[in-house]
Amino acid sequence: MASRRDMKHAVVTGFQRRVGNPILGRLPIQTLLETTGRKSGQPRITPIGGRRTGDSFWFVSEFGTRSQYIRNIQADNRVRLRLHGHWHTGTAHLLPDDDPVARLRSLPRANSAAVRAVGTDLMTVRIDLD
């Protein structure tokens, strides 16, 4: 029998894939993360929320290593990030030792609340922009 955590993950990711991501990905103001598919080698785009600080962009993944884009980063950490309508290249760093709850307090409030509400395996990610 699936655990409550597994059920939550399945429901949230199913909604994100079928409804949320297709809508958010079309919004010109939405921040987008482009990774390279670890199996396909094709670009994979995921809407994310976070904040740029200097030459870095910080965000928290809801499902940590259970997220497909996190697995893609583990295979190839070169990414692209669309911020304010402009694409930037960068290198993503997974930070499992960072406190993701504390990190969310420094990021945009609405997105942070959503991540806390649906997330089960929070993980901080920093992208160093080129």
Side-chain angles (χ1 to χ4, degrees), residues 88-102:
H88 305 268
T89 58
T91 305
H93 303 278
L94 306 180
L95 304 171
D97 294 330
D98 190 67
D99 181 348
V101 175

Side-chain angles (χ1 to χ4, degrees), residues 50-58 81 83-84 88 107 129-130:
R51 174 169 283 141
R52 183 175 184 167
T53 304
D55 289 334
S56 296
F57 184 86
W58 293 83
L81 189 70
L83 285 169
H84 309 292
H88 305 268
L107 300 176
L129 303 172
D130 295 336

